[in-house]
Amino acid sequence: MNGGAVSLKARALILGGADFFGLHLARRLVTEGYHVVVVDNLSRGRNRAEVAALGATPGVELIAGDLTDPATWSALQRGWAQIYLLPPAPLPRAIESDPVRSVRGHALAALHLLDWAAPGDKVFFASSGEVYADGVEDGVVQVPTEESEPVVVGDLAEPRSAYAASRLFAEAALVHAARAGRSRVVVGRFYDVYGPRMGTDHLIPQMCLRAVRGDDPFLVKGPHRKRAFCFVDDAVEATLRLMEAPAAVGEIVHIGNDAPQAAIGEVARMVLRIAGVETRVVAEPAPPGSPARRAPDLAKLRRLTAFEPSVDLADGLRRTFYWYRRTWAHGRP
């Protein structure tokens, strides 16, 4: 994007923005000339130092608010150049322990946004490639996955299936609202985005921290499972391009990196090489519900935005590892 083309008075609203992706998006929007307001309930063990730094950033205002509470929406001002609804990235432990919270949060936030948004508002909703997981496992969804592939929701009694269904509910509500002219919505389905400031509960941050500690043996769950990992800077760039693409309104678009998929075991060995650590890599069973493969087809994203990923896996892992090593050294992993 061209920062010079954006008014310094333009305002962007990030709903649920004190999380990993929201932190990176907010900082990027500030460099593009936006005044950014972040609304978040500040739960889920946010990195307090990162959140405090975000709130202290010139051009950023941080507001505590629960997006499932109508009172939060009633208190929000109007007149935003861009609006982003960013449900938290899935934490397997949280999904397993409290699936109702995920389902309720996604559904109510989307419905409240629909009732609150004005017809001309430009809205981005962050969904997930996780919605295809059951279809991939059942053999009815191809990998790499196009947006036209069927979405299959398995047993709703399984927490991860319920999580996927909640994302699909929000997608359906927002896409049909956009096509009815109620607001200008684009839905982005993210695929395995990683990078600095991601917390400690996701795969690559865990690998980085265990490499810093020098864990021996180095345990890897599902080492033969394959993923197409996307560095967060690329995901932010794709998101901003979609928000500037008129043809993306009312569309569902995959966001990620379509470079050759990497086995999770190989990712672990790459992290260990970056860390300079020699240890035994020991395989463990994959987490329940984790598909054997996950990767996006980016043809639609390219057609709409001319986007190309710019950070390869080796570079992204280096940048992520060094950030976690620094934060560990300063006592805040």
Side-chain angles (χ1 to χ4, degrees):
M1 293 180 61
N2 181 359
V6 179
S7 167
L8 292 176
K9 296 181 180 179
R11 299 192 308 157
L13 177 65
I14 305 181
L15 303 163
D19 204 348
F20 158 64
F21 183 75
L23 291 169
H24 287 270
L25 176 63
R27 289 186 167 101
R28 173 66 186 275
L29 285 169
V30 168
T31 68
E32 297 287 340
Y34 286 90
H35 176 80
V36 179
V37 174
V38 176
V39 180
D40 196 285
N41 64 7
L42 304 179
S43 66
R44 263 192 52 182
R46 302 286 199 267
N47 184 320
R48 294 182 183 277
E50 287 293 329
V51 172
L54 176 66
T57 301
V60 176
E61 180 181 352
L62 185 59
I63 299 174
D66 181 356
L67 298 177
T68 67
D69 185 351
T72 296
W73 296 88
S74 298
L76 287 177
Q77 297 179 351
R78 305 281 183 167
W80 304 94
Q82 296 186 352
I83 300 168
Y84 298 85
L85 179 58
L86 308 178
L91 296 179
R93 289 184 301 174
I95 293 172
E96 293 288 336
S97 64
D98 191 2
V100 173
R101 184 177 183 182
S102 293
V103 172
R104 182 177 183 274
H106 295 157
L108 289 180
L111 293 178
H112 288 322
L113 175 59
L114 282 180
D115 291 338
W116 174 84
D121 283 344
K122 187 185 297 184
V123 178
F124 180 91
F125 174 66
S127 188
S128 170
E130 184 79 12
V131 301
Y132 294 108
D134 288 335
V136 171
E137 288 301 279
D138 291 343
V140 298
V141 171
Q142 299 296 313
V143 180
T145 306
E146 299 179 0
E147 292 84 352
S148 59
E149 288 286 339
V151 174
V152 178
V153 177
D155 183 1
L156 286 177
E158 292 294 328
R160 287 181 72 126
S161 294
Y163 166 84
S166 70
R167 292 274 186 162
L168 289 170
F169 173 89
E171 286 187 15
L174 293 166
V175 165
H176 286 289
R179 295 183 179 183
R182 291 182 59 177
S183 54
R184 295 180 291 164
V185 179
V186 58
V187 172
R189 285 180 180 158
F190 288 90
Y191 279 76
D192 294 289
V193 178
Y194 74 98
R197 303 179 175 88
M198 199 176 184
T200 59
D201 290 306
H202 292 275
L203 175 68
I204 288 177
Q206 286 180 353
M207 287 182 177
C208 291
L209 292 172
R210 289 190 288 121
V212 170
R213 290 198 306 256
D215 283 11
D216 190 1
F218 196 89
L219 305 178
V220 180
K221 294 183 178 181
H224 301 298
R225 309 227 155 199
K226 292 186 175 182
R227 299 288 184 265
F229 292 100
C230 176
F231 192 67
V232 63
D233 288 358
D234 279 339
V236 169
E237 175 66 24
T239 298
L240 296 182
R241 290 193 184 201
L242 282 171
M243 284 292 270
E244 296 296 332
V249 172
E251 297 293 332
I252 296 171
V253 186
H254 290 168
I255 294 175
N257 190 324
D258 58 355
Q261 301 155 53
I264 290 173
E266 177 55 28
V267 173
R269 286 186 283 272
M270 292 173 71
V271 170
L272 290 169
R273 286 196 294 270
I274 293 167
V277 173
E278 294 186 6
T279 182
R280 292 179 299 128
V281 176
V282 176
E284 288 193 318
S290 173
R293 297 172 64 205
R294 184 165 55 228
D297 184 302
L298 297 186
K300 187 174 183 179
L301 177 62
R302 287 189 172 92
R303 184 172 71 252
L304 291 171
T305 68
F307 168 81
E308 289 292 339
S310 63
V311 181
D312 65 22
L313 182 59
D315 186 24
L317 289 177
R318 278 193 296 271
R319 291 156 68 172
T320 304
F321 172 79
Y322 292 144
W323 186 88
Y324 277 94
R325 187 171 67 179
R326 287 195 305 271
T327 58
W328 181 275
H330 286 86
R332 48 183 184 91

